[in-house]
């Protein structure tokens, strides 16, 4: 893969060609007049996005956004898959799907949930079956160094079973999954980012995890009919060891999570400060909260042993409830009131402000980072004094992205729009300047956007090129494929004053959140290492069958177009483990391995080792064969497993 220097993109290197196309296209249209030129087109020739006025004017040069054959995309999109429980990687601006990374789901291509290695990561019951077959991924975030992605790791939550998964950036594979103790509805997640200015450490060390659903603590049958006694925990996980370091018990609930650039604060929006159990109860208060965590103080409290534990868990827990944190000078937490059932909290790329979208209020609340620190120093009278703006932006605001030029882009679920607003203008208006208008532009999206994100927008290097709107409904935008429509991800050019809708991409159900990562920041490896596995079969001559009683181990290799054994024989009732190493070293020379009727199917990449264990309970001849087209003799790449009666 060609990695260009930082900041260099197809869009810039191809500027001259596109200028030419752009001008030519405009000249062509000018001859007939803009409007008649468009009207003369048949509908099939000029698909115009409903409600996209710029496109309707015929002024958009779509060629500009095309990724032509042989060209590479400028950005990786790391996207969650919701209840499909995976992560998807696609390219921008093309929208081409590049990979689906299985995480909490099973996947027959990779063999995720089938190989011993993946089962160990996912977790198994004593009988060897998977702990869980389902998951619900919402938020993918990357590891940071110096306030930007370093490409080393990615993390994603499982909302259903409250698990946290790590993806290694070189192979783009999940390498660790942990359970969060006593957590239900693990929703928001964010790695810390730590500026070298204030901290000796300048890379991600912790992952913060929010708990959305309040339950009895521990949830072992006590207090079930007394929701007032239910509790909520906010969890800190060590990024390197993936061990849970501490938890803090709080009032309300935790929805989305954000972290400051200086490593000092994490925060979460709360929609259920009421502690309600029905949606009506959860909507009772006019204001809920954005809750801030003073990380250094929490870690001091943990160190000082001001902790308790919950149930069987050994994780130290500190008290972050309102009553216990009334004195700002010692408080671990700050509850900033914000209207109403907020959804989404995001920090600006300059690290100065948090934008918390109102959801049931047509506002976004802007909270200043420096003022939160001042509150913790006892220098502010009230939590609301940290709020510096609360612009009205539209109906159903959910998530906000930033362009690095002082503008925010918020998804409006109810309005089906993206609204562009300026943070400084919002602050000036809040201070009393009646002449300023914070809202700069609006664009229709199709339809009901959930998350929206900008290129590099959650880093110091926000470049303000694209906004992607992940819409929850696509309705008429894509070919119908039965009752469940694909979702639309719409690509919006945000380089100018006006947002321009430039593409509709389809996305499998059901993405929630993505990060848009400049391609030079991701450095994958194409060849695995024999050292990755302690069981690697390092030479085709080492292929053999070893028996210890009923336990049989088959050592196997693959070199196109053959497996290292043309056959092996086991007996009915044996417990068989097959260890397969792909000795091919050529990039992209991946083999598959499938055994019919034994439900085994996985791939081995070059120099990779994987294993499976199963009971040989069906006598007969079974051709195990390569499932991944690898060679002119790919179909001939098959050998016999003979199971004797
Ligand atoms: S939540 Cu889905 S649209 Cu899980 Cu990030 Cu807001
Ligand atoms: Cu090996 Cu196909
Ligand atoms: Ca509420």
């Amino acid at each position: 893969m060609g990695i260009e220097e930082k900041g260099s993109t197809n869009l810039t290197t191809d500027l001259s060609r596109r200028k030419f196309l752009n001008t030519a296209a405009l000249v062509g249209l000018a001859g007939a007049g803009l409007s008649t030129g468009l009207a003369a087109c048949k509908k099939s020739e000029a698909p115009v996005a409903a409600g996209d006025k710029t496109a309707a004017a015929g002024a958009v040069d779509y060629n500009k956004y095309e990724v032509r054959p042989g060209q590479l995309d400028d950005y990786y999109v790391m996207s969650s898959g919701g209840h499909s429980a995976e992560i998807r990687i696609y390219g921008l601006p093309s929208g081409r799907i590049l990979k689906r990374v299985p995480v909490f789901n099973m996947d027959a291509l990779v063999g995720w949930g089938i190989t011993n290695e993946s089962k160990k990561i996912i977790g198994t019951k004593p009988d060897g079956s998977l702990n869980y077959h389902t998951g619900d991924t919402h938020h993918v975030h990357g590891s940071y160094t110096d306030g930007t992605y370093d490409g080393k790791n990615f993390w994603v939550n499982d909302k259903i079973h409250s698990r946290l998964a790590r993806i290694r950036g070189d192979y783009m594979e999940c390498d660790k999954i942990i359970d969060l103790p006593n957590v239900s509805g693990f929703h928001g997640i964010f790695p810390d980012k730590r500026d070298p200015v204030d901290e000796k450490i300048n890379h991600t060390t912790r992952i913060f995890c929010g708990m959305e659903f309040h339950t009895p603590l521990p949830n072992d049958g006590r207090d079930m009919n007394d929701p007032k006694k239910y509790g909520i925990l906010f969890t800190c996980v060590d990024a390197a060891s993936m061990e849970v370091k501490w938890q803090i018990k709080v009032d309300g609930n935790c929805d989305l999570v954000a972290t400051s650039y200086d490593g000092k604060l994490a925060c979460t929006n709360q929609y259920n400060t009421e502690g309600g159990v029905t949606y009506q109860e959860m909507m009772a208060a006019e204001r809920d909260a954005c809750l801030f965590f003073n990380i250094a103080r929490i870690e001091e409290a943990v160190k000082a042993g001001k902790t308790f534990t919950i149930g069987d868990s050994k994780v130290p827990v500190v008290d972050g409830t309102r009553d216990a944190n009334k004195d700002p000078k010692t408080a671990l937490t700050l509850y900033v009131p914000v209207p109403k059932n907020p959804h989404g909290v995001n920090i600006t790329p300059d690290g100065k402000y948090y934008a918390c979208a109102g959801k049931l209020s047509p506002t976004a609340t802007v909270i200043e980072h420096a003022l939160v620190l001042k509150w913790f120093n006892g220098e502010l009278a009230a939590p609301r004094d940290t709020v510096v703006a609360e612009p009205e932006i539209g109906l159903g605001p959910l998530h906000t992205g930033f362009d690095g030029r002082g503008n925010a882009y918020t998804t409006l679920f109810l309005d089906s729009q993206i609204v562009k607003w300026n943070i400084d203008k919002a602050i000036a208006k809040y201070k009393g300047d009646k002449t300023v208008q914070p809202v700069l532009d609006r664009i229709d999206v199709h339809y009901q956007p959930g998350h929206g994100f900008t290129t590099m927008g959650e880093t110091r290097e926000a470049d303000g090129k694209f906004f992607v709107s992940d819409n929850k409904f696509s309705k008429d935008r894509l070919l119908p494929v039965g009752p469940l429509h694909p979702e639309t991800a719409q690509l919006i050019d945000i380089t100018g004053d006006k947002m321009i809708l430039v593409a509709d991409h389809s996305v499998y159900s059901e993405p929630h959140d993505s990060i848009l990562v400049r391609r030079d920041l991701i450095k994958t490896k194409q060849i695995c290492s024999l050292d990755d596995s302690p069981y690697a079969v390092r030479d085709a001559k080492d292929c053999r069958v070893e028996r210890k009683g009923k336990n049989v181990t088959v050592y196997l290799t693959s070199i196109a177009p053959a497996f290292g054994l043309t056959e092996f024989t086991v007996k009915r009732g044996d417990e068989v483990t097959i260890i397969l190493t792909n000795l091919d070293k050529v990039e992209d020379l991946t083999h598959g391995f499938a055994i019919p009727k034994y439900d085994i199917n996985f791939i081995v990449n070059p120099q990779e080792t994987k294993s499976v264990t199963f009971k040989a309970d069906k006598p007969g001849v079974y051709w195990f064969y390569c499932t991944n087209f690898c060679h002119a003799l790919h179909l001939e790449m098959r050998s016999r497993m003979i199971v004797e009666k």
Side-chain angles (χ1 to χ4, degrees):
M1 160 180 39
I3 300 288
E4 291 181 21
E5 60 195 292
K6 241 185 183 182
S8 162
T9 67
N10 288 344
L11 290 184
T12 49
T13 51
D14 270 348
L15 201 65
S16 53
R17 173 179 61 81
R18 281 180 293 95
K19 254 190 194 150
F20 170 73
L21 280 173
N22 199 359
T23 317
L26 285 174
V27 168
L29 278 174
L34 278 178
S35 52
T36 50
L38 187 77
C41 290
K42 276 188 243 128
K43 200 181 172 212
S44 60
E45 288 168 359
V48 170
D52 178 10
K53 293 176 196 85
T54 328
V60 180
D61 174 13
Y62 293 104
N63 290 314
K64 186 169 152 181
Y65 308 100
E66 191 188 344
V67 180
R68 305 216 157 176
Q71 287 187 331
L72 298 176
D73 275 302
D74 296 324
Y75 300 94
Y76 285 91
V77 181
M78 308 291 295
S79 175
S80 64
H83 41 98
S84 74
E86 61 185 14
I87 288 177
R88 292 76 176 263
I89 308 175
Y90 63 94
L92 268 193
S94 77
R96 292 169 186 157
I97 286 277
L98 303 174
K99 182 169 180 170
R100 299 169 73 169
V101 183
V103 183
F104 303 109
N105 54 328
M106 289 186 69
D107 181 280
L109 186 146
V110 177
W112 197 251
I114 297 168
T115 61
N116 293 332
E117 291 73 19
S118 61
K119 280 173 143 181
K120 199 174 161 205
I121 291 167
I122 300 168
T124 55
K125 296 178 190 148
D127 69 358
S129 64
L130 285 184
N131 264 345
Y132 303 108
H133 296 83
T134 58
D136 186 16
T137 56
H138 282 231
H139 304 109
V140 187
H141 291 291
S143 51
Y144 287 79
T145 296
D146 290 343
T148 194
Y149 300 125
D150 58 25
K152 286 185 188 145
N153 285 298
F154 300 89
W155 287 272
V156 69
N157 70 309
D158 169 23
K159 180 166 167 175
I160 305 181
H161 306 302
S162 296
R163 292 176 294 174
L164 174 69
R166 184 175 64 195
I167 315 300
R168 51 186 284 184
D170 55 354
Y171 290 170
M172 289 298 183
E173 275 174 18
C174 176
D175 74 343
K176 188 88 182 160
I177 291 177
I178 60 157
D179 289 282
L180 304 185
N182 295 306
V183 170
S184 183
F186 163 30
H187 192 206
I189 162 188
F190 220 105
D192 64 3
K193 357 180 178 55
R194 307 170 72 171
D195 281 349
V197 198
D198 295 317
E199 299 267 346
K200 285 183 208 88
I201 301 160
N202 66 345
H203 60 271
T204 292
T205 59
R206 321 171 180 94
I207 316 299
F208 297 106
C209 309
M211 169 174 177
E212 188 183 340
F213 304 155
H214 58 324
T215 65
L217 296 176
N219 193 13
D220 59 359
R222 74 185 68 190
D223 301 334
M224 292 188 289
N225 295 314
D226 194 357
K228 292 246 156 347
K229 287 192 180 154
Y230 294 4
I232 286 285
L233 299 167
F234 183 80
T235 303
C236 175
V237 176
D238 185 86
S241 69
M242 288 288 279
E243 277 162 17
V244 179
K245 286 169 77 171
W246 47 260
Q247 295 181 304
I248 178 166
K249 185 171 185 266
V250 300
D251 293 318
N253 75 333
C254 305
D255 192 14
L256 284 301
V257 173
T259 57
S260 64
Y261 278 89
D262 59 9
K264 291 182 177 163
L265 299 176
C267 68
T268 181
N269 65 290
Q270 304 196 296
Y271 67 78
N272 190 20
T273 52
E274 300 90 340
V277 295
T278 65
Y279 76 85
Q280 292 92 338
E281 286 170 11
M282 294 179 204
M283 288 166 49
E286 280 313 307
R287 276 181 179 163
D288 287 289
C290 186
L291 165 58
F292 287 86
F293 298 92
N294 187 319
I295 304 304
R297 281 191 195 165
I298 293 171
E299 297 198 329
E300 277 160 27
V302 171
K303 222 174 171 184
K306 295 174 188 159
T307 57
F308 54 98
T309 56
I310 297 170
D312 297 337
S313 166
K314 298 211 164 44
V315 174
V317 186
V318 294
D319 189 350
T321 56
R322 287 171 189 265
D323 282 349
N325 292 277
K326 282 190 174 137
D327 178 4
K329 290 203 159 163
T330 56
L332 310 180
T333 51
L334 161 62
Y335 296 75
V336 178
V338 300
K340 167 179 187 170
N341 286 38
H343 187 78
V345 57
N346 300 86
I347 188 166
T348 54
D350 61 10
K352 286 188 182 163
Y353 305 107
Y354 303 87
C356 191
K359 191 164 80 184
L360 300 188
S361 158
T363 53
T365 303
V366 181
I367 299 166
E368 187 172 339
H369 178 69
L371 292 178
V372 175
L373 296 179
K374 272 193 173 176
W375 185 88
F376 277 115
N377 274 339
E379 294 170 43
L380 292 185
R384 271 292 289 189
D385 292 349
T386 58
V387 173
V388 292
E390 206 154 69
E392 271 200 34
I393 53 175
L395 295 182
L398 293 186
H399 294 281
T400 302
F402 305 97
D403 62 7
R405 300 186 292 268
N407 301 310
Y409 302 77
T410 303
T411 55
L412 299 174
F413 183 81
L414 298 176
D415 277 340
S416 282
Q417 282 186 333
I418 307 306
V419 56
K420 173 183 179 182
W421 52 284
N422 182 274
I423 293 157
D424 285 342
K425 288 191 165 135
I427 294 170
K429 184 162 185 172
Y430 194 74
K431 278 195 183 133
D433 185 342
K434 292 206 172 72
T435 64
V436 288
Q437 168 53 269
V439 171
L440 304 179
D441 191 23
R442 293 173 189 282
I443 190 169
D444 291 335
V445 291
H446 312 86
Y447 302 88
Q448 265 92 30
H451 273 275
F453 12 82
T454 51
T455 41
M456 295 297 290
E458 297 194 275
T459 72
R460 287 280 196 203
E461 299 186 323
D463 62 19
K465 290 206 171 135
F466 290 111
F467 181 93
V468 173
S469 175
D470 264 4
N471 307 316
K472 297 298 186 191
F473 296 84
S474 66
K475 297 178 184 170
D476 54 355
R477 299 293 287 193
L478 302 160
L479 286 176
V481 285
L484 180 63
H485 289 281
E487 323 299 346
T488 47
Q490 291 187 297
L491 184 67
I492 296 168
D493 180 338
I494 55 169
T495 53
D497 289 341
K498 288 264 162 205
M499 293 178 277
I500 306 170
L501 176 61
V502 297
D504 278 21
H505 301 140
S506 62
V507 196
Y508 301 119
S509 289
E510 187 205 88
H512 283 256
D513 196 11
S514 299
I515 53 174
L516 314 186
V517 183
R518 227 176 45 229
R519 72 182 197 204
D520 62 278
L521 295 172
I522 290 190
K523 295 180 177 70
T524 63
K525 281 188 197 147
Q526 275 62 54
I527 310 286
C528 299
S529 166
L530 293 180
D531 297 333
D532 290 343
S533 167
Y535 311 110
V537 187
R538 291 174 176 262
D539 193 308
K541 281 183 287 207
D542 297 336
C543 288
R544 64 196 186 275
V545 178
E546 272 179 11
R547 171 178 291 278
K548 278 186 192 134
K550 284 203 154 301
N551 292 318
V552 176
T553 306
V554 181
Y555 297 86
L556 199 58
T557 57
S558 59
I559 302 173
F563 294 108
L565 295 172
T566 55
E567 62 177 68
F568 67 85
T569 302
V570 297
K571 293 194 180 74
R572 181 183 197 165
D574 284 346
E575 188 174 276
V576 182
T577 295
I578 295 174
I579 300 169
L580 172 59
T581 299
N582 180 4
L583 291 180
D584 276 312
K585 289 180 187 155
V586 180
E587 183 170 332
D588 218 8
L589 222 176
T590 293
H591 298 287
F593 181 89
I595 311 181
K597 311 301 180 195
Y598 280 90
D599 210 18
I600 284 164
N601 197 0
F602 62 91
I603 55 166
V604 271
N605 294 303
Q607 301 284 295
E608 187 177 36
T609 301
K610 281 182 185 163
S611 66
V612 286
T613 300
F614 59 93
K615 193 154 195 188
D617 53 2
K618 295 174 279 285
V621 172
Y622 300 91
W623 287 96
F624 59 88
Y625 71 100
C626 177
T627 51
N628 202 68
F629 213 112
C630 56
H631 190 275
L633 294 172
H634 157 73
L635 289 172
E636 287 81 353
M637 189 168 173
R638 55 189 170 107
S639 299
R640 287 178 306 157
M641 173 173 82
I642 295 163
V643 183
E644 292 177 345
K645 271 200 235 187

